[in-house]
Amino acid sequence: AQSVAQPEDQVNVAEGNPLTVKCTYSVSGNPYLFWYVQYPNRGLQFLLKYITGDNLVKGSYGFEAEFNKSQTSFHLKKPSALVSDSALYFCAVTLVGGYNKLIFGAGTRLAVHP
Amino acid sequence: KAGVTQTPRYLIKTRGQQVTLSCSPISGHRSVSWYQQTPGQGLQFLFEYFSETQRNKGNFPGRFSGRQFSNSRSEMNVSTLELGDSALYLCASSPREGNTEAFFGQGTRLTVV
């Protein structure tokens, strides 16, 4: 079965420090990978995507993600965290032939402390 | 461009009733997907429509149904509501036919009592 795993329920980081939110996937074929962020009482906002090409993908708000095919991972990173980055982050995948159906991970709550 | 609009934002229904949720996608987007978000199950895919055709359906009972109109607006219907249907229902539209980013509405919070 196709699946996405986010092994950490919560990540805590101090403002100004780098942050990493982890994601691994298990799919057959080449995946299309996405990161979304959800603020309280809001829908999801698209951050970035990997389709093909460079393994390091840059996205919105200073976020980037590194695709590692051998480790089947797509970790979200930011060099310097802001308190306003505190939110719920979801990793997701679509599959070839799956149209726009997103398979989501369980989500990771990021808490950035002043 | 206006974003994805979902109505209503909040709903309270009684067990056994039915409910219809509405979604207006971003102008020009023909792909519309629906998701259910709950604390226990996370984000689960319900169905996807493209040009009025259902292309994908998630693992939900037949009480959950949807449709898409010629202007790409979509509705989803849940009949015979159960307490477990209480959730945030999210609609998303996408600019291309597949494997592209989705733009989400703010959701409809459904509470079944």
Side-chain angles (χ1 to χ4, degrees):
Chain A
Q2 328 287 356
S3 64
V4 176
Q6 294 181 243
E8 302 153 316
D9 290 338
Q10 179 152 332
V11 170
N12 296 298
V13 65
E15 189 175 29
N17 283 0
L19 69 87
T20 298
V21 182
K22 295 179 181 177
C23 170
T24 60
Y25 62 90
S26 174
V27 302
S28 53
N30 293 322
Y32 297 82
L33 294 156
F34 302 82
W35 276 100
Y36 290 86
V37 60
Q38 186 176 35
Y39 297 98
N41 299 315
R42 302 289 298 274
L44 278 68
Q45 293 180 35
F46 167 75
L47 280 178
L48 52 78
K49 66 179 178 184
Y50 172 83
I51 294 177
T52 187
D54 289 341
N55 290 340
L56 186 65
V57 179
K58 293 191 183 298
S60 306
Y61 313 119
F63 284 94
E64 56 190 27
E66 187 171 9
F67 172 68
N68 187 316
K69 187 172 183 178
S70 63
Q71 297 185 3
T72 61
S73 67
F74 189 56
H75 300 333
L76 182 70
K77 301 182 179 186
K78 188 175 183 183
S80 179
L82 300 172
V83 172
S84 58
D85 293 330
S86 299
L88 189 55
Y89 290 80
F90 290 96
C91 181
V93 64
T94 62
L95 308 173
V96 174
Y99 302 114
N100 287 313
K101 172 185 175 181
L102 286 160
I103 301 169
F104 284 95
T108 298
R109 187 163 300 281
L110 173 67
V112 182
H113 305 285
Chain B
K1 262 185 181 178
V4 177
T5 303
Q6 291 188 246
T7 56
R9 288 290 312 279
Y10 302 93
L11 266 177
I12 300 176
K13 290 285 187 179
T14 304
R15 271 183 304 174
Q17 287 186 313
Q18 75 164 18
V19 67
T20 299
L21 312 182
S22 180
C23 172
S24 293
I26 291 172
S27 177
H29 289 191
R30 291 187 291 162
S31 169
V32 174
S33 301
W34 290 88
Y35 295 85
Q36 182 196 65
Q37 186 176 22
T38 59
Q41 299 298 316
L43 280 157
Q44 295 189 89
F45 171 79
L46 281 156
F47 23 67
E48 181 197 2
Y49 290 88
F50 185 86
S51 294
E52 302 179 69
T53 300
Q54 186 181 94
R55 303 195 299 185
N56 262 317
K57 191 176 190 311
N59 189 24
F60 279 83
R63 300 184 297 107
F64 290 80
S65 63
R67 59 178 175 169
Q68 187 180 34
F69 301 96
S70 58
N71 62 358
S72 293
R73 192 177 69 84
S74 178
E75 289 181 347
M76 67 164 282
N77 185 76
V78 188
S79 63
T80 319
L81 283 166
E82 301 177 0
L83 295 179
D85 297 334
S86 295
L88 181 66
Y89 289 88
L90 292 165
C91 170
S93 73
S94 299
R96 286 176 292 279
E97 196 167 344
N99 304 117
T100 186
E101 59 271 27
F103 297 86
F104 284 80
Q106 290 190 287
T108 295
R109 172 79 60 189
L110 172 64
T111 302
V112 182
V113 298

